[in-house]
Amino acid sequence: EPEVTQTPSHQVTQMGQEVILRCVPISNHLYFYWYRQILGQKVEFLVSFYNNEISEKSEIFDDQFSVERPDGSNFTLKIRSTKLEDSAMYFCATAYSGGARETQYFGPGTRLLVL
Amino acid sequence: GESVGLHLPTLSVQEGDNSIINCAYSNSASDYFIWYKQESGKGPQFIIDIRSNMDKRQGQRVTVLLNKTVKHLSLQIAATQPGDSAVYFCAENMENTGFQKLVFGTGTRLLVSP
């Protein structure tokens, strides 16, 4: 069964450093999402992406965050200058279409720890 | 505003029992709801969904009930197994947004004892 994959599985970084989290979507999926989950809390929407453009973003997704699909396969989330409060699990999700009732498939996540 | 919440943070059951996990939502405009299962160290896994024009939907060993009058959603798991132990999230999405933005609840941890 096709799966969304994410790398790395764990990332430890110093505050102020840049990190790039990578996601490989299911091959025929065109809609991409990033969510995060702070330890013990609920999953929160960050951004949705389609046709090389952000379609919607949350308040969390400030100027320190960016997304792109650099090579047509990977979908990346970049945090330019990490803060302690960016420590969380980051999940990529993908869907075949953007319809509100289209199932999103989640990757296993990247655990980011900012020291 | 948008908010999805759960009544119980932890539910402990015996293997073979039926489990019921509850969820309340506050956005009356929400018209699509999903239950996700999250095992330790993994991403959320789709279980079952329901549209607002339905009040019940059944899957394999799982049933979702939707009560729009009181804005309540429940997930019933029949004959609960140890492999069902996980955190269960309800999530909602509004039809009138151009793209999906899932709003997740806090989560309920289901513990199944053999």
Side-chain angles (χ1 to χ4, degrees):
Chain A
E1 184 176 328
E3 293 181 333
V4 177
T5 60
Q6 289 184 243
T7 55
S9 58
H10 294 79
Q11 174 92 48
V12 181
T13 190
Q14 296 290 324
M15 188 171 56
Q17 295 297 304
E18 175 184 284
V19 294
I20 298 176
L21 310 183
R22 292 181 171 81
C23 168
V24 178
I26 293 173
S27 63
N28 62 346
H29 285 190
L30 301 174
Y31 294 78
F32 314 115
Y33 308 84
W34 283 102
Y35 292 82
R36 80 170 186 190
Q37 185 179 31
I38 295 172
L39 184 64
Q41 299 186 22
K42 61 185 180 183
V43 178
E44 301 174 288
F45 170 82
L46 292 178
V47 66
S48 57
F49 187 87
Y50 168 71
N51 198 27
N52 288 317
E53 291 184 348
I54 290 174
S55 49
E56 188 170 357
K57 58 184 180 181
S58 72
E59 294 176 353
I60 303 168
F61 195 90
D62 62 21
D63 292 343
Q64 293 301 312
F65 290 87
S66 62
V67 289
E68 64 175 356
R69 203 165 179 224
D71 55 11
S73 60
N74 289 294
F75 176 52
T76 64
L77 174 69
K78 180 191 293 186
I79 309 175
R80 291 188 183 82
S81 178
T82 51
K83 303 185 289 290
L84 296 177
E85 54 265 38
D86 293 328
S87 296
M89 282 288 287
Y90 287 82
F91 294 106
C92 171
T94 74
Y96 175 71
S97 77
R101 297 165 184 166
E102 184 70 24
T103 300
Q104 292 185 24
Y105 294 88
F106 283 76
T110 293
R111 183 174 296 282
L112 176 65
L113 178 60
V114 182
L115 303 177
Chain B
E2 297 170 336
S3 71
V4 178
L6 290 170
H7 294 303
L8 298 174
T10 303
L11 176 65
S12 296
V13 300
Q14 294 290 321
E15 182 178 0
D17 288 351
N18 295 330
S19 303
I20 300 176
I21 300 171
N22 296 302
C23 176
Y25 65 95
S26 62
N27 191 340
S28 58
S30 294
D31 70 344
Y32 177 59
F33 305 90
I34 314 102
W35 281 100
Y36 281 91
K37 172 186 180 182
Q38 186 178 26
E39 295 174 284
S40 181
K42 297 183 179 180
Q45 178 186 3
F46 172 88
I47 301 174
I48 191 168
D49 58 1
I50 189 168
R51 301 179 183 182
S52 60
N53 61 351
M54 304 169 68
D55 54 19
K56 180 179 180 179
R57 191 167 186 217
Q58 288 185 293
Q60 187 177 16
R61 281 201 307 119
V62 294
T63 301
V64 56
L65 300 178
L66 175 63
N67 185 330
K68 294 181 289 294
T69 302
V70 295
K71 290 184 284 189
H72 183 268
L73 190 67
S74 69
L75 176 70
Q76 300 179 0
I77 304 174
T80 314
Q81 302 168 359
D84 294 327
S85 294
V87 177
Y88 290 80
F89 294 94
C90 63
E92 63 179 310
N93 188 66
M94 291 176 58
E95 177 67 37
N96 61 358
T97 57
F99 295 89
Q100 284 196 27
K101 182 181 75 173
L102 295 178
V103 177
F104 283 80
T106 308
T108 292
R109 181 174 300 280
L110 177 65
L111 300 175
V112 183
S113 303

